[in-house]
Amino acid sequence: MESIEIARLSAKYADDKKAENIALLDVRGLSPVTDFFVIATANSNPQMRAVRDEIVAQMRDEHGIKPLFSDGTFESQWLIVNYPNVLVHVQSPEKREFYALEELWGDAPKLDWQDTAPVAAPTPRVRAPKKKVVKEKTAKKAVKKTAKKAPAKKAAAKKKVK
């Protein structure tokens, strides 16, 4: 199953448990860890548990996909379910506002999780090669190193003791 399908199904299952403000972010090319974020808000610990459990159960029972890991506590008000190339975040309204993942990953396109059309991979970002800049001090040091120094005068010979 494609990771975009896992992300969309996770969002759908979160919606089935009345999660709010569900967002699907395409972080391919921006994150070395994952391809998609699913972010959902749950208004209480029982709802947070229900959203997480629904996603895990439906993905396992209907599609045979188990999460790589699940993390977070109800006290932290932030649960994470990690599928291959998909990170599902279930947060309380306070944590979602405080951490503002959508703003943090503002370069990531926001996708319609209800759409079933395939998503094309984003064009890779190409950075211009860095220009080699020689600092003035470095240039001066190079000149100093190449200049020949006059031989140092030897210290006066020690006096002989009779």
Side-chain angles (χ1 to χ4, degrees), residues 1-2 18 23 37 40 58 74 78 81 86-87 90 102 113 119 138 145:
M1 179 178 283
E2 295 282 329
K18 308 297 184 213
F37 281 170
Q58 291 294 332
F74 299 110
W78 188 349
V81 182
V86 178
L87 273 177
V90 182
E102 289 145 300
W113 58 268
V119 177
T138 308
K145 285 183 182 178

Side-chain angles (χ1 to χ4, degrees), residues 8 11-12 15 24 111-117:
R8 286 181 172 150
K12 177 193 175 304
D15 185 56
L24 173 56
L111 304 176
D112 180 6
W113 58 268
Q114 296 172 328
D115 190 7
T116 57

Side-chain angles (χ1 to χ4, degrees), residues 95-161:
K95 292 296 179 183
R96 183 147 181 194
E97 182 181 342
F98 182 79
Y99 287 103
L101 294 177
E102 289 145 300
E103 292 175 30
L104 182 64
W105 294 93
D107 291 347
K110 192 171 182 180
L111 304 176
D112 180 6
W113 58 268
Q114 296 172 328
D115 190 7
T116 57
V119 177
T123 56
R125 295 171 185 232
V126 179
R127 294 183 183 199
K130 291 184 178 180
K131 293 181 181 179
K132 205 171 194 179
V133 177
V134 178
K135 293 184 179 179
E136 190 176 318
K137 287 183 180 179
T138 308
K140 286 180 183 178
K141 284 182 184 177
V143 171
K144 284 183 182 178
K145 285 183 182 178
T146 58
K148 290 185 178 179
K149 292 184 178 181
K153 292 183 180 179
K154 292 186 179 180
K158 292 183 181 180
K159 293 181 180 180
K160 292 183 182 179
V161 178

